[in-house]
Amino acid sequence: MEQQEWKRFLDRCLLNRISLDKFERLAEVLYARFSLSSPEIAKIFLTPRSRSLVSFDPLIPAYVERLFSLDRVDIPSVLRVLLRTSHLYSPTLGENKGDEEDSGRTVEGTWYNSPELIEILLYRVLRIFTTGARPRTTQEVWGTIRVVSDWMSSVVAASTKSEMMQDINSGNAGPQSEDIATREALGNLVIALSENPKITRILTQSLPKASRLESFQKQHAIFDSAQSKALDDSMMGDIGVNGMEMHGVDTILDGPYTISKAGLYIYLNALLVGKPMTTDELVLNYLHTRYKGDISTLTTDLITASFDTLSNAMYRNEPNQTMFLLRSFLVNRIPVFLSSLSSSMFEPLTPEFCITQALSHVDPTAFPSFSQTFDMSSSSGILSDVRQEFLFACALHQLIAEENIERLLGEMPMQSLPEGGRYTKEELISQCSADPERVERLLGEIEGMEGNAGAIVGAIADVIRNLCTSKETMSLKTICTLLSRKPLSLDVILLFKTPLDILSPICQTLNTWRFEDDQGEYQPVYDEFGGILLLLLVFVHRYDLTIYDLGLMNDDSFVTELLRRGNVSKRMDVLTSQEDKNLGGWIRGLFEAEGISDELMSSCQPQDFYLLVPTLFSQTLAACNGNILDLETMKGGLEYLLETFLLPSLIGAISWLTTYLWSAPPESVPNLLQILQTLIKPTSISGDAQAMHGTIISIIAIPLASSLQSLRRLDPTRDDLEPILQTLQQPNSSSAFSAKRTTSVSHTELESWTSTHGGGLLASLRNTFGSLVSWSTTPDIHMTPPSYTHRQLLVAVSMLGARSVISTLIEEMKLQTDHGSADLAYDIATTLICAPTAADVQATQYTRFDLTHGGSSGVSGASPKRRLSLRGALRLEAEDAGKLAATDTIKAEIITRLNHRVEAHYGAAQVSQIMGDIDAAAVEDAAAGGGAMGMVGGSGGLDGLGGDGGLGLVGGGSGNIDDVLGAAGDELEGLGLMGVGDGGMDLS
């Protein structure tokens, strides 16, 4: 009876993709009514559910881990079932008998668990031992030793069999990669057991078991007899790097896992150095991977590192735009992360405790109190309000009580919570639907420092998507026009959303834009199209976006063509008849008496016009050079393009002129400069057009100024360049020279790095690494953070290559090892290597978007080719570490251990990614009433993800369990347990 109820419970949880928190709650209620032993529960959850060896349900290991935390299963029971459901299991071998003797004794037929599932659970057990959470009892110690001993026996037997088969087949048959992965996971688990103090004491008193461990270690080259002594010594302390005599890189043991103060500081700098990359998925997965469930330290470090990142920017005199972004990240983004993390906190741990701990480490010099700002000796008044803004944002998100802010500040606060209270996305969307002008007011609030930016961004993103879907282009154009003038607002948007989230529906709208059958006027159509297109081009320019960032790879789509060849003119002999007709129409409309008529615009779709602009200017310049078109007529005609409905076309026009200027014949330069003068510095322009014109100038200013300055160097006597250059550099031209937010470096900064004594750029990188290690050696003592920008690492990789940078990091790690800071150096180097780049995020977003939309995004072909990454360079070094060990043991050890750390980080991050995808998909399905995700019969596996949904439960439904039944016990009844029947429910 009890076992049957637990089996039905598991089937229903898998079928309905129950979230981990709800599973934990329901499991406790079920256990109270139907208690089972640990071996029985382990057998139910880990008995194979499919004949397939290549797939498993990712919820299974997550559920088992929750059962560990509830203490409903112990480690020996889980390991025993995994052993007996592994294809490596040798039932003919004698097994240790214990309390778990009957658990998982047989498997139906030839069904086995997936090697990947076994590997994941072995590593999760390893993590439990590493953190010291287990073992809890002496019985669990002995049980673990017995079952690990049996695991080793089976692996040895399987390895022997594999070697025999290899000999029979003349060396052509070797161990499978899955077997190697399982063996490595088991070897790491053995090491973790050897380092666990409780188990170490038992092992020293049990020679047979210790002998079995030693035999296994020798058999599988984990470490040799000389290193066994080193391991014995390491049980009383850290593993001695210099004391190991290596016979190959497989014998190297990983040292202690240390979390440095600099690690998260580096990571946040990497996320915010260019285009913001701070999505929930990316940041929270990294944090959980790094801190391994230590929510208290995670939360405190996250807050402290955010303050340190902001103070670092101030000390480095970063531009105001960077200061604004980092400030908004701290005030608007961090409280949202803290809200997510608070769900994992339990008394006595509270968000307020973590916030209090973090503020005690904040630099009072960088973040003075309000009263200290009147001190003439203080130079940090720029950040005097930041602590107060952060605390009120936390109060807005109910992380702390408002009345406690004064105590945390140490003085009377000078602000209060916003009058409108805490916004929610759903409420804002409803308000925008009822009052379209509400959208404009929200855009005015998006740059505020009150903690509401996340809800505003979420609402704006949904409104844009809805307007694109319903083709309400007039309202869409209004929003796009306002946003295109507010680059700081775009930065805030990307703190919460990806470029795909915002621009994908806009690209779809632009690509599929067509005239209505009953179109009356065509100028408004061009006006709306141009306003929407301008926002896309502003995004592309500001963050150096590519077609891959936008999820576009169809060569025949308008946006793809515009971004690839929007500044390229076509020869007349390659124009199609329609293009030739359109070109002639626009030339006559601009430079003859006809003007820009509805007839002209109706015959040419907006997309065709924008793709034709470079060719139009090529022909215009040729006509001027050939005296076919006089300058005054040319200037008069170009003034049409200064009207708002055609103004965005200046981007393509000036981009072509800029490119052509590099190779233009000397006789054509005067006419070219006359065209530029007309477009850049118009004699008259309307008020609405003037703001848009400033945005356009900010996009083309830097490349155009570069071309003009190059021309001036060739001919210093020219006096017709200065008026244009002065216009481009005017402060009121949308801050042209600071309009981009990318990872590029200034000449001054690059020169300071490359002129470093003792090795130039790489020497400066070593100096930075050393300062980060030094700062981390005193985590409890507050010190001003070392000057750091992730641009330094990125430019080093770009200019010198990943292998040179990796070699430099390894050399510096050797030095830090000699100084006794190896553990900190490993963590800092691992963070530098694993820190996300735009290319990493691009690839993840690209794949996720296409999978989520079932390929409907228009994405086709392969992802973009990438340069060798730091991780790839480290792998190459690790491949050569075996040969290196003969000549430089220390360096080989460092390379191997660092590679282990990096690969372990990526492996853990991928597991977190999978689990995050499952929870997100479950929430989306529940919200949509989609039921299960294609998990037929509870058989598990990933094949059901992204299926057609709508499966529901067998036997009819009984409504939403939370609404109808309310209590946790009744929720189990809603699952069809305890004799209630197979009633269905909506598990949200």
Side-chain angles (χ1 to χ4, degrees):
M1 173 67 178
E2 289 82 358
Q3 291 187 4
Q4 201 62 31
E5 294 297 339
W6 275 90
K7 289 179 181 178
R8 295 175 65 192
F9 168 67
L10 176 59
D11 289 342
R12 295 305 175 85
C13 286
L14 295 175
L15 184 65
N16 291 279
R17 318 309 293 163
I18 297 300
S19 69
L20 300 182
D21 290 338
K22 177 164 280 191
F23 167 82
E24 187 172 319
R25 182 158 51 93
L26 295 177
E28 279 293 81
V29 176
L30 183 64
Y31 187 85
R33 300 191 181 186
F34 299 103
S35 61
L36 288 178
S37 66
S38 172
E40 290 173 320
I41 295 177
K43 182 177 179 181
I44 290 170
F45 275 76
L46 295 175
T47 294
R49 308 176 67 82
S50 169
R51 291 182 182 272
S52 174
L53 270 176
V54 297
S55 67
F56 67 95
D57 193 325
L59 278 177
I60 291 292
Y63 285 165
V64 170
E65 193 164 23
R66 288 302 176 101
L67 291 174
F68 276 139
S69 65
L70 294 174
D71 207 19
R72 297 306 171 212
V73 295
D74 56 28
I75 286 175
S77 300
V78 169
L79 293 179
R80 181 72 63 190
V81 177
L82 289 178
L83 172 62
R84 293 179 175 178
T85 57
S86 168
H87 71 284
L88 298 175
Y89 177 51
S90 299
T92 57
L93 294 174
E95 284 192 73
N96 291 289
K97 305 301 180 183
D99 296 334
E100 64 280 7
E101 180 179 359
D102 296 327
S103 65
R105 160 85 52 181
T106 59
V107 179
E108 297 180 10
T110 57
W111 289 21
Y112 298 105
N113 267 320
S114 162
E116 186 179 0
L117 170 64
I118 294 174
E119 180 186 2
I120 288 175
L121 283 170
L122 286 176
Y123 275 115
R124 294 200 178 194
V125 169
L126 181 152
R127 183 174 63 184
I128 292 173
F129 278 118
T130 303
T131 60
R134 299 274 185 160
R136 295 179 178 176
T137 65
T138 303
Q139 183 180 4
E140 190 173 23
V141 171
W142 281 109
T144 302
I145 293 173
R146 292 190 190 101
V147 70
V148 168
S149 179
D150 292 336
W151 257 106
M152 291 189 293
S153 297
S154 289
V155 169
V156 169
S159 179
T160 302
K161 180 179 178 182
S162 176
E163 290 174 0
M164 293 173 59
M165 294 302 298
Q166 188 173 4
D167 293 338
I168 293 173
N169 292 293
S170 302
N172 294 327
Q176 298 296 316
S177 59
E178 312 89 56
D179 297 348
I180 295 174
T182 301
R183 191 175 70 178
E184 289 179 351
L186 181 61
N188 287 325
L189 177 58
V190 170
I191 295 172
L193 296 177
S194 301
E195 294 175 341
N196 187 282
K198 292 182 181 179
I199 295 183
T200 300
R201 287 194 297 268
I202 297 296
L203 280 174
T204 57
Q205 301 169 7
S206 176
L207 294 179
K209 301 301 179 184
S211 176
R212 185 79 64 85
L213 280 172
E214 182 179 2
S215 173
F216 178 78
Q217 292 156 0
K218 290 180 179 179
Q219 178 77 22
H220 297 278
I222 297 175
F223 43 82
D224 60 17
S225 58
Q227 292 151 355
S228 295
K229 183 180 184 303
L231 179 60
D232 292 337
D233 296 337
S234 73
M235 293 176 184
M236 305 304 296
D238 294 338
I239 296 172
V241 174
N242 297 329
M244 298 180 64
E245 298 178 1
M246 295 175 43
H247 295 283
V249 294
D250 290 338
T251 67
I252 297 175
L253 301 177
D254 290 334
Y257 180 80
T258 301
I259 296 178
S260 68
K261 180 165 64 173
L264 191 51
Y265 174 67
I266 294 169
Y267 189 80
L268 293 185
N269 272 279
L271 293 177
L272 299 164
V273 66
K275 174 186 66 179
M277 302 180 293
T278 54
T279 60
D280 286 347
E281 171 190 344
L282 184 65
V283 176
L284 293 178
N285 280 351
Y286 170 79
L287 292 174
H288 287 303
T289 299
R290 178 174 176 79
Y291 288 90
K292 306 182 187 305
D294 186 355
I295 299 298
S296 176
T297 305
L298 184 163
T299 305
T300 303
D301 286 359
L302 177 61
I303 299 170
T304 305
S306 300
F307 274 97
D308 286 338
T309 302
L310 181 55
S311 65
N312 171 61
M314 183 198 68
Y315 289 130
R316 286 177 49 81
N317 294 317
E318 294 283 358
N320 289 336
Q321 292 192 18
T322 298
M323 295 296 294
F324 169 83
L325 174 65
L326 298 179
R327 189 170 186 160
S328 186
F329 174 76
L330 174 63
V331 175
N332 288 308
R333 196 65 176 100
I334 291 297
V336 177
F337 287 138
L338 299 184
S339 295
S340 298
L341 295 171
S342 65
S343 62
S344 301
M345 296 182 184
F346 303 97
E347 293 290 349
L349 180 64
T350 63
E352 184 169 329
F353 172 80
C354 297
I355 292 169
T356 304
Q357 290 293 106
L359 289 180
S360 67
H361 292 89
V362 169
D363 184 0
T365 304
F367 303 96
S369 63
F370 179 76
S371 58
Q372 290 174 318
T373 59
F374 296 101
D375 182 0
M376 298 299 294
S377 63
S378 175
S379 60
S380 306
I382 184 176
L383 301 179
S384 60
D385 295 333
V386 171
R387 289 192 306 142
Q388 183 173 226
E389 292 169 348
F390 172 70
L391 288 174
F392 273 101
C394 289
L396 184 71
H397 287 265
Q398 300 180 340
L399 298 169
I400 60 174
E402 183 181 4
E403 56 268 21
N404 292 339
I405 292 179
E406 182 176 351
R407 174 178 57 81
L408 293 171
L409 275 178
E411 62 181 1
M412 181 73 71
M414 303 302 293
Q415 70 179 68
S416 60
L417 291 174
E419 292 183 4
R422 180 182 176 185
Y423 292 163
T424 64
K425 184 182 77 170
E426 292 73 21
E427 290 177 352
L428 294 181
I429 292 175
S430 177
Q431 293 171 12
C432 293
S433 299
D435 179 13
E437 295 183 358
R438 177 60 171 150
V439 179
E440 298 182 32
R441 297 197 296 273
L442 286 177
L443 290 175
E445 299 180 42
I446 201 171
E447 296 176 15
M449 298 293 174
E450 296 181 331
N452 272 324
I456 296 174
V457 169
I460 295 297
D462 277 19
V463 168
I464 288 176
R465 183 173 294 278
N466 293 337
L467 292 176
C468 290
T469 302
S470 61
K471 299 189 181 302
E472 297 180 46
T473 53
M474 183 179 296
S475 299
L476 180 61
K477 178 253 181 182
T478 300
I479 296 176
C480 291
T481 300
L482 290 173
L483 281 176
S484 64
R485 301 172 185 172
K486 298 163 68 71
L488 297 184
S489 295
L490 304 187
D491 292 346
V492 177
I493 287 174
L494 293 192
L495 287 177
F496 299 90
K497 297 292 182 179
T498 68
L500 268 178
D501 296 330
I502 304 298
L503 299 180
S504 176
I506 289 177
C507 290
Q508 182 71 10
T509 298
L510 294 172
N511 285 335
T512 59
W513 192 292
R514 293 293 180 270
F515 292 136
E516 299 291 341
D517 294 336
D518 57 349
Q519 194 75 52
E521 295 182 85
Y522 291 87
Q523 181 172 319
V525 176
Y526 269 73
D527 190 49
E528 293 165 9
F529 185 92
I532 297 169
L533 175 63
L534 181 59
L535 177 62
L536 171 65
L537 296 178
V538 167
F539 263 105
V540 169
H541 163 75
R542 182 165 180 78
Y543 306 109
D544 271 351
L545 302 181
T546 68
I547 58 173
Y548 303 107
D549 292 300
L550 303 176
L552 297 169
M553 291 183 64
N554 275 345
D555 291 341
D556 58 350
S557 73
F558 161 69
V559 174
T560 301
E561 285 291 309
L562 185 69
L563 296 183
R564 281 179 168 170
R565 290 177 279 274
N567 64 340
V568 179
S569 64
K570 293 184 177 181
R571 302 195 317 272
M572 295 300 294
D573 59 345
V574 300
L575 294 178
T576 65
S577 58
Q578 184 61 46
E579 288 173 335
D580 187 66
K581 178 182 177 181
N582 290 339
L583 179 61
W586 281 102
I587 291 176
R588 288 189 298 272
L590 291 173
F591 305 117
E592 297 182 6
E594 296 182 17
I596 308 299
S597 64
D598 271 348
E599 182 181 357
L600 170 61
M601 290 185 285
S602 67
S603 64
C604 180
Q605 292 283 346
Q607 300 97 318
D608 297 331
F609 166 71
Y610 279 92
L611 293 175
L612 200 61
V613 165
T615 306
L616 174 61
F617 272 77
S618 172
Q619 293 302 307
T620 300
L621 180 60
C624 289
N625 293 337
N627 295 320
I628 299 173
L629 186 66
D630 63 80
L631 286 177
E632 292 304 317
T633 303
M634 179 269 294
K635 291 180 179 179
L638 293 183
E639 288 181 354
Y640 280 113
L641 299 180
L642 297 174
E643 298 294 333
T644 55
F645 69 100
L646 295 178
L647 197 55
S649 67
L650 263 60
I651 296 175
I654 298 175
S655 296
W656 179 82
L657 292 169
T658 298
T659 304
Y660 183 72
L661 190 58
W662 289 95
S663 58
E667 62 273 12
S668 68
V669 172
N671 288 331
L672 191 154
L673 294 178
Q674 287 289 334
I675 295 175
L676 283 174
Q677 181 78 12
T678 301
L679 301 179
I680 298 296
K681 197 173 182 180
T683 55
S684 63
I685 189 171
S686 66
D688 290 341
Q690 189 169 11
M692 182 181 288
H693 185 266
T695 301
I696 292 169
I697 295 302
S698 73
I699 293 176
I700 56 85
I702 294 178
L704 177 57
S706 178
S707 292
L708 294 174
Q709 289 164 353
S710 176
L711 183 61
R712 184 168 58 182
R713 285 192 293 270
L714 292 175
D715 187 1
T717 62
R718 300 194 70 102
D719 58 1
D720 51 357
L721 302 177
E722 199 59 32
I724 302 176
L725 283 170
Q726 288 180 353
T727 302
L728 294 176
Q729 298 180 43
Q730 285 179 358
N732 60 356
S733 62
S734 297
S735 303
F737 287 92
S738 61
K740 293 177 74 69
R741 177 144 198 88
T742 64
T743 57
S744 59
V745 300
S746 66
H747 292 294
T748 303
E749 195 168 39
L750 182 59
E751 185 177 356
S752 69
W753 294 332
T754 54
S755 61
T756 302
H757 176 72
L761 181 55
L762 292 178
S764 72
L765 187 61
R766 289 190 66 166
N767 292 341
T768 300
F769 191 101
S771 66
L772 291 168
V773 172
S774 177
W775 183 56
S776 298
T777 55
T778 55
D780 298 327
I781 301 176
H782 178 76
M783 296 171 57
T784 300
S787 179
Y788 181 78
T789 173
H790 204 64
R791 292 191 296 269
Q792 183 183 29
L793 179 70
L794 296 176
V795 75
V797 173
S798 177
M799 293 179 62
L800 305 175
R803 296 205 72 167
S804 295
V805 173
I806 282 293
S807 296
T808 299
L809 293 179
I810 291 170
E811 290 300 323
E812 181 62 22
M813 289 181 68
K814 286 183 64 178
L815 179 63
Q816 296 300 331
T817 299
D818 292 340
H819 293 167
S821 300
D823 53 344
L824 297 174
Y826 276 113
D827 183 67
I828 291 171
T830 301
T831 305
L832 289 171
I833 295 169
C834 298
T837 64
D840 297 330
V841 176
Q842 175 191 91
T844 301
Q845 293 172 349
Y846 171 79
T847 303
R848 175 67 50 77
F849 182 82
D850 195 38
L851 291 174
T852 302
H853 291 77
S856 64
S857 60
V859 179
S860 62
S863 59
K865 293 182 179 179
R866 297 173 53 187
R867 298 181 58 181
L868 180 66
S869 65
L870 289 173
R871 180 191 182 191
L874 179 60
R875 281 179 170 176
L876 294 177
E877 294 288 338
E879 290 176 3
D880 297 333
K883 298 178 182 178
L884 180 64
T887 57
D888 193 338
T889 301
I890 301 300
K891 186 174 181 180
E893 291 177 353
I894 290 173
I895 292 171
T896 304
R897 286 181 179 145
L898 181 59
N899 187 55
H900 288 169
R901 296 281 184 102
V902 170
E903 294 305 317
H905 167 83
Y906 276 102
Q910 288 171 357
V911 173
S912 297
Q913 178 76 53
I914 291 172
M915 298 314 303
D917 292 347
I918 292 171
D919 281 342
V923 170
E924 290 176 5
D925 269 11
M933 300 180 64
M935 308 299 293
V936 181
S939 61
L942 288 170
D943 298 334
L945 296 181
D948 294 333
L951 261 176
L953 297 179
V954 179
S958 60
N960 185 295
I961 189 169
D962 291 326
D963 295 336
V964 176
L965 302 176
D970 292 334
E971 290 186 59
L972 289 171
E973 295 181 4
L975 277 169
L977 305 176
M978 296 172 288
V980 176
D982 291 333
M985 75 290 185
D986 175 19
L987 289 166
S988 55

